[in-house]
Amino acid sequence: MPYLKEKVCLVTGASRGIGRGIALQLAVNGATCYITGRNSEKLELVVDEAKKREACGKIIPVQCDHSNDTEVEKVFDLIDKEYDGKLDLLVNNAYSAVSWLLENAKQCFWDHQIDAWDEVNQVGLRNHFICTVHASRMMVKRRKGLIVNISSVGGILYFLTPAYGIGKTAVSSFSSCIRHPSFKQFSKKPLILNLTPQKDRMAKDCANDLEKYNVAFVSVWPGPVQTEIFAKETDLMASKSALTWLFKHGETTEFTGKCIASLLLDPDIMKKSGQVLLASDIAGEFDLKDVDGQDPVSMRSLKGMFAGSGHIWIAEYIPSFFKLPKWLFSFLGSFAKPSMEKLASKYA
């Protein structure tokens, strides 16, 4: 794993789940990692875990409600003051709507309260942009930095409710494109023909403005992750054998952290800027395994796709290395139909 000594990082929403896993991996590999969350006691537990592992870096907890712009600004002011404007990595991971989504997934979107949009996207979308603005102001001065949005396949697949998918599509743009070499005669860069309907997303458009300042911006899609919340959803898992298989063969909460730690020292990171990167693809590039020594199932693998569609017995016989090209994965994903049946609408 890379040695991240002297790297200053910020991971939002790091009191549990993927955020906690990312912070631990950064600290274990030498980074100074600020973490935010609403519950200070849970943040301290992450600090204790890093000490227990004798991490060569350190974790600095900062209580913050990411729906409050003033509190968010104070986090960046603190880092600016304590490290003289140095911020090497921002990971936008804060998300406050997981429990709400699971509780309301079976309702049609028009049966939700009108403020459901804010419940889902106030922190998971708007706050990502606010944090990106503050981080960019620090990074462009030093002509160096990496911003990572933690998003999901919900950017191309229907998942639970439209508000979720709209938010995830805005956060990331799955770059499935062909570079047309003939355009070089008119421009230094080849023409990019986008084969997917997703455009004007946060990672792609912000990366465009940041490029000349040598600041990279990528969106990372973890696969099925064995988070604490989903582990508690025993009824959901019991009723969906496909979900049970996917999470059993999925990623630990620290797998994405190992991937981001490698991206932070990637000399070619600017070539990836503006793109969506699957955690499993990053792991393949840097020859990474999960913290439990396993290779989690890739969302692009035929094995994972057959298992996800309920054909588990077929999936067991398919080698993991059979994967769809990114453009085909994105294209087919846009046609996927939701499997969860909605309750009858009270307005019908």
Side-chain angles (χ1 to χ4, degrees), residues 8-12 76 87-93 127-140 144-151 171 202-211 213-220 260 263-264 269-270 272-277 282:
V8 179
C9 309
L10 168 60
V11 182
T12 68
F76 288 90
L87 180 62
D88 297 288
L89 170 69
L90 164 66
V91 180
N92 283 317
N93 175 73
N127 165 75
H128 281 18
F129 186 77
I130 299 301
C131 288
T132 295
V133 169
H134 288 300
S136 296
R137 291 172 178 174
M138 298 173 69
M139 293 176 176
V140 296
K144 186 178 182 181
L146 171 62
I147 301 172
V148 178
N149 276 352
I150 301 300
S151 189
V171 163
M202 192 187 303
K204 185 176 180 63
D205 287 6
C206 291
N208 183 71
D209 286 4
L210 291 167
E211 182 180 12
Y213 298 101
N214 196 44
V215 176
F217 195 156
V218 300
S219 184
V220 173
I260 292 176
L263 288 178
L264 186 53
I269 188 60
M270 289 305 299
K272 298 181 175 71
S273 190
Q275 298 181 22
V276 166
L277 307 175
I282 300 172

Coordinates of all heavy atoms in Angstrom, one line a residue, residues 8-12 76 87-93 127-140 144-151 171 202-211 213-220 260 263-264 269-270 272-277 282:
V8 N -2.6 15.6 3.8 CA -3.7 16.1 4.6 C -5.0 15.8 3.9 O -5.2 16.2 2.7 CB -3.6 17.6 4.9 CG1 -4.7 18.1 5.7 CG2 -2.2 17.9 5.6
C9 N -5.9 15.1 4.5 CA -7.1 14.6 3.9 C -8.4 15.0 4.7 O -8.3 15.2 5.9 CB -7.1 13.1 3.7 SG -5.6 12.4 3.0
L10 N -9.5 15.1 4.0 CA -10.8 15.3 4.7 C -11.8 14.3 4.2 O -12.0 14.2 2.9 CB -11.3 16.7 4.5 CG -12.8 17.0 4.9 CD1 -13.0 16.7 6.4 CD2 -13.2 18.4 4.5
V11 N -12.4 13.5 5.0 CA -13.4 12.5 4.7 C -14.7 12.9 5.4 O -14.8 12.9 6.6 CB -13.1 11.1 5.0 CG1 -14.2 10.1 4.5 CG2 -11.7 10.7 4.4
T12 N -15.7 13.3 4.6 CA -17.0 13.7 5.3 C -17.9 12.5 5.5 O -17.8 11.5 4.8 CB -17.8 14.7 4.4 OG1 -18.2 14.1 3.2 CG2 -16.9 15.9 4.0
F76 N -13.4 23.6 6.9 CA -12.3 24.0 6.0 C -11.5 25.1 6.6 O -10.2 25.1 6.3 CB -12.9 24.4 4.6 CG -13.5 23.2 3.9 CD1 -14.8 22.8 4.0 CD2 -12.7 22.5 3.0 CE1 -15.3 21.7 3.3 CE2 -13.2 21.4 2.3 CZ -14.5 21.0 2.5
L87 N -4.5 21.0 1.7 CA -5.5 20.0 1.6 C -5.2 19.2 0.4 O -5.4 19.7 -0.7 CB -6.9 20.6 1.6 CG -8.0 19.5 1.6 CD1 -8.0 18.6 2.8 CD2 -9.4 20.2 1.4
D88 N -4.8 17.9 0.6 CA -4.4 17.1 -0.6 C -5.6 16.3 -1.1 O -5.7 15.9 -2.3 CB -3.3 16.1 -0.2 CG -2.1 16.8 0.2 OD1 -1.4 17.3 -0.7 OD2 -1.7 16.8 1.4
L89 N -6.6 16.0 -0.2 CA -7.7 15.1 -0.6 C -9.0 15.5 0.1 O -9.0 15.7 1.3 CB -7.3 13.6 -0.3 CG -8.5 12.6 -0.4 CD1 -8.8 12.4 -1.9 CD2 -8.0 11.3 0.2
L90 N -10.0 15.6 -0.7 CA -11.4 15.7 -0.1 C -12.2 14.5 -0.6 O -12.2 14.2 -1.8 CB -12.1 17.0 -0.6 CG -13.6 17.0 -0.4 CD1 -14.0 17.0 1.1 CD2 -14.2 18.2 -1.1
V91 N -12.8 13.8 0.3 CA -13.7 12.7 -0.1 C -15.1 13.1 0.4 O -15.4 13.2 1.6 CB -13.3 11.4 0.6 CG1 -14.3 10.3 0.2 CG2 -11.9 11.0 0.2
N92 N -16.0 13.4 -0.6 CA -17.4 13.7 -0.4 C -18.2 12.5 -0.2 O -18.5 11.8 -1.1 CB -17.9 14.5 -1.5 CG -17.5 16.0 -1.5 OD1 -17.5 16.6 -0.5 ND2 -17.2 16.5 -2.7
N93 N -18.4 12.1 1.1 CA -19.1 10.9 1.4 C -20.3 11.1 2.2 O -21.2 10.2 2.3 CB -18.1 9.9 2.1 CG -18.8 8.6 2.6 OD1 -19.1 7.8 1.8 ND2 -19.0 8.5 3.9
N127 N -24.6 19.4 -0.5 CA -23.4 19.6 0.4 C -22.1 19.1 -0.4 O -21.0 19.7 -0.1 CB -23.6 18.7 1.6 CG -22.3 18.5 2.4 OD1 -21.8 19.4 3.0 ND2 -21.7 17.3 2.3
H128 N -22.2 18.1 -1.2 CA -21.0 17.7 -2.0 C -20.5 18.9 -2.8 O -19.2 19.1 -2.9 CB -21.4 16.6 -3.0 CG -21.5 15.2 -2.3 ND1 -21.6 15.1 -1.0 CD2 -21.5 14.0 -2.9 CE1 -21.7 13.8 -0.7 NE2 -21.6 13.1 -1.8
F129 N -21.4 19.7 -3.4 CA -20.9 20.8 -4.2 C -20.3 21.9 -3.3 O -19.3 22.5 -3.6 CB -22.1 21.4 -5.0 CG -21.7 22.5 -5.9 CD1 -21.0 22.2 -7.1 CD2 -21.9 23.8 -5.6 CE1 -20.6 23.2 -8.0 CE2 -21.5 24.8 -6.5 CZ -20.9 24.5 -7.7
I130 N -21.0 22.2 -2.1 CA -20.4 23.2 -1.2 C -19.0 22.8 -0.7 O -18.1 23.6 -0.7 CB -21.4 23.3 0.0 CG1 -22.8 23.8 -0.4 CG2 -20.8 24.3 1.0 CD1 -22.8 25.1 -1.2
C131 N -18.9 21.6 -0.3 CA -17.5 21.1 0.1 C -16.5 21.2 -1.0 O -15.3 21.5 -0.8 CB -17.6 19.7 0.6 SG -18.4 19.5 2.2
T132 N -17.0 20.9 -2.2 CA -16.1 21.0 -3.4 C -15.6 22.4 -3.6 O -14.4 22.6 -4.0 CB -16.8 20.4 -4.7 OG1 -17.1 19.0 -4.5 CG2 -15.9 20.6 -5.9
V133 N -16.5 23.4 -3.5 CA -16.1 24.8 -3.6 C -15.0 25.1 -2.6 O -14.0 25.7 -3.0 CB -17.4 25.7 -3.4 CG1 -16.9 27.1 -3.3 CG2 -18.3 25.5 -4.6
H134 N -15.2 24.8 -1.3 CA -14.3 25.1 -0.3 C -12.9 24.4 -0.6 O -11.9 25.1 -0.4 CB -14.8 24.8 1.1 CG -15.9 25.6 1.5 ND1 -15.8 27.0 1.7 CD2 -17.2 25.3 1.9 CE1 -16.9 27.5 2.2 NE2 -17.8 26.5 2.3
A135 N -13.0 23.2 -0.9 CA -11.7 22.4 -1.2 C -11.0 23.0 -2.4 O -9.8 23.1 -2.4 CB -12.0 21.0 -1.4
S136 N -11.7 23.3 -3.4 CA -11.1 23.9 -4.7 C -10.4 25.2 -4.4 O -9.3 25.4 -4.9 CB -12.2 24.1 -5.7 OG -12.8 22.9 -6.1
R137 N -10.9 26.0 -3.5 CA -10.3 27.3 -3.2 C -8.9 27.1 -2.6 O -8.0 27.9 -2.7 CB -11.2 28.1 -2.3 CG -12.5 28.6 -3.0 CD -13.4 29.3 -2.1 NE -14.6 29.8 -2.8 CZ -15.7 30.3 -2.2 NH1 -15.7 30.4 -0.9 NH2 -16.7 30.8 -2.9
M138 N -8.8 26.0 -1.8 CA -7.5 25.7 -1.2 C -6.6 25.0 -2.1 O -5.4 25.3 -2.2 CB -7.8 24.8 0.1 CG -8.6 25.4 1.1 SD -9.1 24.3 2.5 CE -7.5 24.0 3.2
M139 N -7.1 24.1 -2.9 CA -6.2 23.3 -3.8 C -5.7 24.1 -5.0 O -4.5 23.8 -5.4 CB -7.0 22.1 -4.3 CG -7.4 21.1 -3.2 SD -8.4 19.7 -3.8 CE -8.5 18.6 -2.4
V140 N -6.5 24.9 -5.6 CA -6.0 25.6 -6.8 C -4.8 26.6 -6.5 O -3.9 26.8 -7.3 CB -7.1 26.4 -7.5 CG1 -8.2 25.5 -8.0 CG2 -7.7 27.5 -6.6
K144 N -2.5 21.7 -6.8 CA -2.4 20.2 -6.5 C -3.6 19.8 -5.6 O -4.0 20.5 -4.7 CB -1.1 20.0 -5.8 CG -0.8 18.5 -5.5 CD 0.5 18.4 -4.8 CE 0.9 16.9 -4.6 NZ 2.2 16.8 -3.8
G145 N -4.1 18.6 -5.9 CA -5.2 18.1 -5.1 C -6.1 17.1 -5.8 O -6.0 17.0 -7.0
L146 N -6.8 16.4 -5.0 CA -7.7 15.3 -5.5 C -9.1 15.4 -4.8 O -9.1 15.5 -3.5 CB -7.2 13.9 -5.4 CG -8.1 12.8 -5.7 CD1 -8.5 12.8 -7.1 CD2 -7.4 11.4 -5.3
I147 N -10.2 15.5 -5.5 CA -11.5 15.5 -4.9 C -12.2 14.2 -5.4 O -12.2 13.9 -6.6 CB -12.3 16.8 -5.3 CG1 -11.6 18.0 -4.9 CG2 -13.7 16.7 -4.8 CD1 -12.2 19.3 -5.4
V148 N -12.8 13.5 -4.5 CA -13.5 12.3 -4.8 C -14.9 12.3 -4.3 O -15.2 12.6 -3.1 CB -12.8 11.1 -4.1 CG1 -13.6 9.8 -4.4 CG2 -11.4 10.9 -4.6
N149 N -15.9 12.1 -5.2 CA -17.3 11.9 -4.8 C -17.5 10.4 -4.7 O -17.2 9.7 -5.6 CB -18.2 12.5 -5.9 CG -18.5 14.0 -5.7 OD1 -18.0 14.6 -4.7 ND2 -19.1 14.6 -6.7
I150 N -18.1 10.0 -3.5 CA -18.5 8.7 -3.4 C -20.0 8.6 -3.9 O -20.9 9.2 -3.3 CB -18.5 8.2 -1.9 CG1 -17.0 8.3 -1.4 CG2 -19.0 6.7 -1.8 CD1 -16.0 7.5 -2.2
S151 N -20.1 7.9 -5.0 CA -21.5 7.8 -5.6 C -21.8 6.3 -5.7 O -21.3 5.5 -5.0 CB -21.5 8.5 -7.0 OG -22.8 8.6 -7.5
V171 N -24.3 13.8 -9.3 CA -23.0 13.7 -8.6 C -21.9 13.1 -9.6 O -20.7 13.5 -9.5 CB -23.1 12.8 -7.3 CG1 -21.7 12.3 -6.9 CG2 -23.8 13.6 -6.2
M202 N -21.5 16.6 -11.8 CA -20.6 17.4 -11.0 C -19.1 17.0 -11.2 O -18.3 17.9 -11.4 CB -20.9 17.1 -9.5 CG -20.2 18.1 -8.6 SD -20.4 17.7 -6.8 CE -22.2 17.7 -6.7
A203 N -18.8 15.7 -11.2 CA -17.4 15.3 -11.4 C -16.8 15.8 -12.8 O -15.7 16.3 -12.8 CB -17.3 13.8 -11.3
K204 N -17.6 15.6 -13.8 CA -17.2 15.9 -15.1 C -17.0 17.4 -15.3 O -16.0 17.9 -15.8 CB -18.2 15.4 -16.2 CG -17.8 15.6 -17.6 CD -18.8 14.9 -18.5 CE -18.4 15.1 -20.0 NZ -17.1 14.4 -20.3
D205 N -18.0 18.2 -14.9 CA -18.0 19.6 -15.2 C -17.0 20.4 -14.3 O -16.3 21.3 -14.7 CB -19.4 20.2 -15.0 CG -20.3 19.8 -16.2 OD1 -19.8 19.0 -17.0 OD2 -21.4 20.3 -16.3
C206 N -17.0 20.0 -13.0 CA -16.0 20.6 -12.1 C -14.6 20.3 -12.5 O -13.7 21.2 -12.4 CB -16.2 20.1 -10.7 SG -17.8 20.8 -9.9
A207 N -14.3 19.1 -13.0 CA -13.0 18.7 -13.5 C -12.6 19.6 -14.6 O -11.4 19.9 -14.8 CB -13.0 17.2 -13.9
N208 N -13.5 20.0 -15.4 CA -13.2 20.9 -16.6 C -12.6 22.2 -16.1 O -11.6 22.7 -16.7 CB -14.5 21.1 -17.4 CG -14.2 22.0 -18.6 OD1 -13.6 21.5 -19.6 ND2 -14.6 23.2 -18.6
D209 N -13.2 22.8 -15.1 CA -12.7 24.1 -14.6 C -11.4 23.9 -13.8 O -10.5 24.8 -13.8 CB -13.7 24.7 -13.7 CG -14.9 25.3 -14.4 OD1 -14.9 25.2 -15.7 OD2 -15.8 25.9 -13.8
L210 N -11.2 22.7 -13.2 CA -10.1 22.5 -12.3 C -8.8 22.0 -13.1 O -7.7 22.1 -12.6 CB -10.4 21.5 -11.2 CG -11.4 21.9 -10.2 CD1 -11.9 20.6 -9.4 CD2 -10.8 22.9 -9.2
E211 N -9.0 21.6 -14.3 CA -7.9 20.9 -15.0 C -6.7 21.8 -15.1 O -5.6 21.3 -14.9 CB -8.4 20.6 -16.4 CG -7.4 19.9 -17.3 CD -7.9 19.5 -18.7 OE1 -8.9 20.0 -19.1 OE2 -7.2 18.7 -19.4
Y213 N -5.5 23.9 -13.3 CA -4.9 24.1 -12.0 C -4.3 22.8 -11.4 O -3.9 22.8 -10.2 CB -5.9 24.8 -11.0 CG -6.4 26.1 -11.5 CD1 -7.6 26.3 -12.1 CD2 -5.6 27.2 -11.3 CE1 -8.1 27.5 -12.5 CE2 -6.0 28.5 -11.8 CZ -7.2 28.6 -12.4 OH -7.7 29.8 -12.8
N214 N -4.3 21.8 -12.2 CA -3.7 20.5 -11.8 C -4.4 19.9 -10.6 O -3.9 19.2 -9.8 CB -2.2 20.6 -11.5 CG -1.5 19.3 -11.5 OD1 -1.7 18.4 -12.4 ND2 -0.7 19.1 -10.5
V215 N -5.8 20.1 -10.5 CA -6.6 19.5 -9.4 C -7.5 18.5 -10.1 O -8.2 18.8 -11.0 CB -7.4 20.5 -8.7 CG1 -8.3 19.9 -7.7 CG2 -6.5 21.5 -8.0
A216 N -7.5 17.3 -9.6 CA -8.3 16.2 -10.2 C -9.6 16.0 -9.4 O -9.6 16.2 -8.2 CB -7.5 14.9 -10.2
F217 N -10.6 15.6 -10.2 CA -11.9 15.3 -9.6 C -12.5 14.0 -10.2 O -12.7 14.0 -11.4 CB -12.8 16.5 -9.9 CG -14.1 16.5 -9.0 CD1 -14.8 17.7 -8.8 CD2 -14.7 15.4 -8.4 CE1 -15.9 17.8 -8.0 CE2 -15.8 15.5 -7.7 CZ -16.4 16.7 -7.5
V218 N -12.7 13.0 -9.4 CA -13.3 11.8 -9.9 C -14.4 11.4 -9.0 O -14.6 11.8 -7.9 CB -12.2 10.6 -9.9 CG1 -11.0 11.0 -10.8 CG2 -11.7 10.3 -8.5
S219 N -15.3 10.5 -9.6 CA -16.4 9.9 -8.8 C -16.1 8.4 -8.7 O -15.7 7.8 -9.7 CB -17.7 10.1 -9.5 OG -18.8 9.6 -8.8
V220 N -16.2 7.9 -7.5 CA -15.9 6.5 -7.3 C -17.2 5.8 -6.9 O -17.9 6.2 -6.0 CB -14.8 6.3 -6.1 CG1 -14.7 4.8 -5.8 CG2 -13.5 6.9 -6.6
I260 N -8.8 4.6 -2.9 CA -8.5 6.0 -2.8 C -7.1 6.3 -2.4 O -6.5 7.3 -2.9 CB -9.6 6.7 -1.9 CG1 -11.0 6.6 -2.6 CG2 -9.2 8.2 -1.7 CD1 -12.1 7.2 -1.8
L263 N -5.1 6.1 -5.5 CA -5.4 7.2 -6.4 C -4.7 8.4 -5.9 O -4.2 9.2 -6.8 CB -6.9 7.5 -6.5 CG -7.8 6.5 -7.2 CD1 -9.2 6.9 -7.1 CD2 -7.3 6.3 -8.7
L264 N -4.5 8.6 -4.6 CA -3.9 9.8 -4.1 C -2.5 10.0 -4.6 O -2.0 11.1 -4.7 CB -4.0 9.8 -2.6 CG -3.6 11.1 -1.8 CD1 -4.3 12.3 -2.4 CD2 -3.8 11.0 -0.4
I269 N -3.1 10.7 -12.3 CA -4.5 10.9 -11.8 C -5.2 12.0 -12.7 O -6.4 11.9 -12.9 CB -4.5 11.4 -10.4 CG1 -5.9 11.5 -9.8 CG2 -3.7 12.7 -10.2 CD1 -6.6 10.2 -9.8
M270 N -4.5 12.9 -13.3 CA -5.2 14.0 -14.1 C -5.8 13.3 -15.4 O -6.7 13.9 -15.9 CB -4.2 15.1 -14.5 CG -3.8 16.0 -13.3 SD -5.2 16.7 -12.5 CE -5.9 17.7 -13.8
K272 N -7.4 10.7 -15.3 CA -8.7 10.1 -14.9 C -9.7 11.1 -14.5 O -10.9 10.8 -14.2 CB -8.4 9.2 -13.7 CG -7.5 8.0 -14.0 CD -7.3 7.1 -12.7 CE -6.5 5.9 -12.9 NZ -5.1 6.1 -13.2
S273 N -9.3 12.4 -14.4 CA -10.1 13.5 -13.9 C -11.4 13.6 -14.7 O -11.3 13.6 -15.9 CB -9.4 14.8 -13.8 OG -10.1 15.8 -13.1
G274 N -12.5 13.7 -14.0 CA -13.8 13.9 -14.7 C -14.5 12.6 -15.0 O -15.6 12.6 -15.5
Q275 N -13.9 11.5 -14.6 CA -14.4 10.2 -14.9 C -15.1 9.5 -13.6 O -14.8 9.9 -12.5 CB -13.3 9.2 -15.4 CG -12.7 9.7 -16.7 CD -11.6 8.7 -17.2 OE1 -11.7 7.5 -16.8 NE2 -10.7 9.2 -18.0
V276 N -15.9 8.5 -13.9 CA -16.4 7.6 -12.9 C -15.5 6.4 -12.9 O -15.2 5.8 -13.9 CB -17.8 7.2 -13.2 CG1 -18.2 6.0 -12.3 CG2 -18.8 8.3 -12.9
L277 N -15.0 6.0 -11.7 CA -14.1 4.9 -11.5 C -14.8 3.9 -10.6 O -15.2 4.2 -9.5 CB -12.8 5.3 -10.9 CG -12.1 6.5 -11.7 CD1 -10.8 6.9 -10.9 CD2 -11.7 6.1 -13.1
I282 N -10.4 0.1 -10.0 CA -9.2 0.7 -9.4 C -8.3 -0.4 -8.8 O -7.1 -0.4 -8.9 CB -9.6 1.7 -8.3 CG1 -10.4 2.8 -9.0 CG2 -8.4 2.3 -7.7 CD1 -11.0 3.8 -7.9

